[in-house]
Amino acid sequence: MSQISLPDHAGPVETIWHWLYIFICAFVFLFLIAPILVIVPLSFNAEPYFTFTKEMMSLKPEAFSMRWYEDFMAKEIWQRSIGNSFFIAFCSTILATVLGTLAALGLSRSEMPYKGLFMGLLISPMIVPLVITAAGIFFFYATVNDYIPLTGTYLGIILAHTVLGTPFVVITVTATLSGFDHSLTRAGAMLGADPTTVFFKIIMPLILPGVISGALFAFVTSFDEVVVVLFVASVEQQTIPRQMWAGIRESISPTILAVATILICISIVLLATVELLRRRSERLRGMSPG
Amino acid sequence: MSELLTTVDGRPLKAALASAERTKRIRAVLLVMPLFIFIFFSFLYPIALMLYRSVENPLIAQHMPNTVAILENWDGKEVPGEEAFAALAKDLVTAREAREIGKVATRLNFETPGLRSVITGSARSAGKWKPPYKEKFIDRRKEWGDLTTWVTIKRLSPTITSVNYLAAIDRQYNVDGEIQMIGSDYQIYVDLFMRTMWMSIVVTVSCLVLGFPIAYMLASLPLRHSNLLMILVLLPFWTSLLVRTTSWIVLLQTQGVLNDLMVWTGIINDAQRIQLIFNAQGTVIAMTQILLPFMVLPLYSVMKTIPPSYLRAAESLGAHRFLAFWRVYVPNTLPGVGAGCLLVFILAIGYYITPALVGGQDGQMISNMIAFHMQKSLNWGLAAALGGILLGGVVILYWLYNKLVGIDRLKLG
């Protein structure tokens, strides 16, 4: 029996409190989800307005249209931005996942010296304000540009996004490893497997859900990042968030709502994947399936 | 006498164990190293570079070497003599030929507004002049007869300077070399830091007030119900920041959904539409929604570990439901409250995107000013100093978070 259900002997004050509590919670959940609830239907608005028209409220089919999606498909700049975003996010995700997973494996070993300090430093890109990170990277790229051109290049953006994505990989993989039974590794070694075999045959399959979750976090981080892109990218590396940023600052065209809806669909898919992986991971570690 | 324990091949057991431990330690470090080196070069070093920028000041010493050398022995009591003006003329002409005069003028102008035109104007004329220079300079621009101009040049002579940090807290040196507040018309940064703190506190408190009830509901419902509601917390967490910020504009603007709804239901009439966004209010509303999941998740994970039997025990001992909740349950949630509040506050204080898009005039935060000086005014030294102060605050809070909560306890979904 849950704690929040009303007991049978509840008096009127408690009953009012109870319903007030339910109402407050409903309001907060609505507050959380409102931006998504509003933007999706409005992206199908046949008129170039950012509000529900009378025709939309009465659900007339002619009030809805795909014109903003067609506009998105037709505009070369959006197509290029989406290509750039996927390319940059894909490359930085791979880098972040490899580096972050290795580090998490090291950090979760009991022999690791100065564990707290290293963990703190490796997570810090997530905590340091983005503007400061972007400013630092801007100065750094400017000083090394003569040797390695990084400002206004794909490589520069990918490296910066990798920095921002690694903390998520480190955190999720470390969390997965916290329930890892190290006697499995020893058993593997005792049966004659070398460390590489142990890693790929025993450790990897067990921590894979965590690794994939971390990779998805890193992907989303890069896919949604705009500050670093504003500071060090050139027009050539135009990404979706930067194009949206420009659109919001100048005059919002309803095309942005269509793009936003597409991004919401992507985040739903990613969230569902991560949830499934989390449950699988908990099952593998013998915890109760959530 | 006890026999020394050895391994099969005759090594003392203690030494063999120590060497095995060492190998393991090295292996662990080797796994961490690639990421550490990467983070060092592409994050820690760039941040250090930014901090160095905040105190570095090479321009004047580099492009006005003669003037700087003469001013070194100047007492700063009155306008220097002909010697200094001769050096100035030489430096200005050289700097102009090297096309660096604009940078020098801009740097001095950050310190004493108005000096840009004085420098560039005099540099244009100085090439045609013959000694003595002093009178010609003062004739051309009367500012050269002003002590402030010379004090400014002397103050910016050293290559390491504190002027950026002073400027970042609305202070400057006066003519006598004492630190004082700048004129009240120019004071903006202290207020901005205060406003940033204040807005972050408001956002944190709002997140706690809104997050506590739903975290409690999530923690006390049976899993199959709470999982469904959890999606409502996690979905915004996964949704693009820009998407959410756009939706808040659509929702809150005067011709937006919320105002339409209020007009339609008759709460307000069409002429009374409320300005809910492009001000501090808009920033707080949008940031609260964006950071709420960072409050709910730590609260939830702490509440999940509080046994419901505690509350039942308190009630069976005679406590009223509310008293039991307040005296038994709430104190148990404090670790989660602390973790959530610290995390939300740390993230809020450095926020940039949302205030920039929905903040309007009075909803801007310190990050927006840093970006402004990086991209528009190009006063990089000041931007770096503002960043340095903000970073200092965040590092202290992060250290506190790590000490109280433990960074390894950070969970994402």
Side-chain angles (χ1 to χ4, degrees), chain A residues 139-193:
Chain A
F139 289 136
F140 177 62
Y141 284 8
T143 44
V144 300
N145 253 348
D146 292 343
Y147 313 100
I148 325 162
L150 289 171
T151 310
T153 63
Y154 284 98
L155 180 65
I157 302 292
I158 289 168
L159 290 182
H161 281 188
T162 308
V163 170
L164 297 174
T166 48
F168 295 99
V169 180
V170 172
I171 288 174
T172 47
V173 179
T174 311
T176 319
L177 280 168
S178 73
F180 187 76
D181 185 358
H182 282 281
S183 54
L184 292 174
T185 334
R186 284 196 292 277
M190 240 167 67
L191 292 169

Side-chain angles (χ1 to χ4, degrees), chain B residues 119-245:
Chain B
I119 300 280
T120 49
S122 312
R124 262 198 307 277
S125 317
K128 292 170 243 143
W129 293 340
K130 299 245 165 356
Y133 290 104
K134 184 166 179 174
E135 241 167 68
K136 299 194 176 81
F137 265 107
I138 297 173
D139 271 354
R140 177 76 175 76
R141 293 300 296 244
K142 63 175 173 17
E143 284 87 346
W144 289 115
D146 224 337
L147 200 54
T148 325
T149 312
W150 291 93
V151 169
T152 308
I153 297 177
K154 185 175 165 89
R155 194 189 312 128
L156 288 178
S157 300
T159 44
I160 297 293
T161 176
S162 60
V163 292
N164 290 324
Y165 278 97
L166 287 176
I169 51 171
D170 290 337
R171 277 156 180 82
Q172 64 177 13
Y173 289 105
N174 65 9
V175 180
D176 301 323
E178 290 157 354
I179 295 169
Q180 61 172 32
M181 292 293 285
I182 58 166
S184 53
D185 292 351
Y186 296 104
Q187 290 175 17
I188 41 174
Y189 300 115
V190 172
D191 284 352
L192 195 58
F193 275 113
M194 287 301 161
R195 188 207 284 167
T196 306
M197 293 270 273
W198 172 239
M199 282 172 66
S200 306
I201 291 171
V202 172
V203 168
T204 309
V205 172
S206 319
C207 281
L208 182 61
V209 169
L210 297 181
F212 199 93
I214 63 167
Y216 180 64
M217 181 177 258
L218 288 169
S220 37
L221 280 175
L223 264 184
R224 66 202 149 82
H225 297 301
S226 73
N227 268 339
L228 213 64
L229 288 175
M230 193 52 133
I231 290 174
L232 299 183
V233 178
L234 290 177
L235 187 57
F237 184 70
W238 277 87
T239 306
S240 157
L241 252 172
L242 284 164
V243 169
R244 285 191 276 166
T245 310

Side-chain angles (χ1 to χ4, degrees), chain B residues 189-396:
Chain B
Y189 300 115
V190 172
D191 284 352
L192 195 58
F193 275 113
M194 287 301 161
R195 188 207 284 167
T196 306
M197 293 270 273
W198 172 239
M199 282 172 66
S200 306
I201 291 171
V202 172
V203 168
T204 309
V205 172
S206 319
C207 281
L208 182 61
V209 169
L210 297 181
F212 199 93
I214 63 167
Y216 180 64
M217 181 177 258
L218 288 169
S220 37
L221 280 175
L223 264 184
R224 66 202 149 82
H225 297 301
S226 73
N227 268 339
L228 213 64
L229 288 175
M230 193 52 133
I231 290 174
L232 299 183
V233 178
L234 290 177
L235 187 57
F237 184 70
W238 277 87
T239 306
S240 157
L241 252 172
L242 284 164
V243 169
R244 285 191 276 166
T245 310
T246 316
S247 336
W248 280 115
I249 298 175
V250 169
L251 265 162
L252 299 180
Q253 62 186 349
T254 39
Q255 299 300 320
V257 176
L258 200 68
N259 266 303
D260 276 357
L261 197 70
M262 287 196 288
V263 170
W264 184 63
T265 51
I267 299 173
I268 54 172
N269 66 42
D270 205 32
Q272 297 171 304
R273 287 172 177 266
I274 308 165
Q275 182 71 39
L276 291 164
I277 206 155
F278 306 121
N279 52 26
Q281 209 173 347
T283 309
V284 168
I285 294 176
M287 277 177 64
T288 303
Q289 193 260 348
I290 287 164
L291 294 173
L292 193 49
F294 291 96
M295 180 67 83
V296 175
L297 295 175
L299 272 176
Y300 168 78
S301 66
V302 167
M303 287 175 174
K304 207 67 201 157
T305 62
I306 305 173
S309 55
Y310 284 12
L311 270 183
R312 286 202 296 274
E315 277 179 65
S316 73
L317 289 170
H320 188 265
R321 245 172 113 83
F322 296 115
L323 189 70
F325 182 76
W326 181 248
R327 296 280 294 277
V328 176
Y329 196 85
V330 173
N332 272 303
T333 62
L334 286 183
V337 172
C341 285
L342 266 172
L343 190 60
V344 169
F345 189 78
I346 292 175
L347 294 174
I349 204 165
Y351 240 65
Y352 169 65
I353 295 173
T354 311
L357 289 175
V358 304
Q361 282 278 312
D362 55 343
Q364 300 289 304
M365 296 173 79
I366 200 72
S367 286
N368 303 101
M369 196 45 93
I370 297 173
F372 169 77
H373 283 307
M374 285 296 298
Q375 297 179 298
K376 296 274 159 58
S377 84
L378 303 184
N379 190 351
W380 291 346
L382 182 56
L386 291 169
I389 296 174
L390 178 61
L391 182 65
V394 168
V395 167
I396 292 172

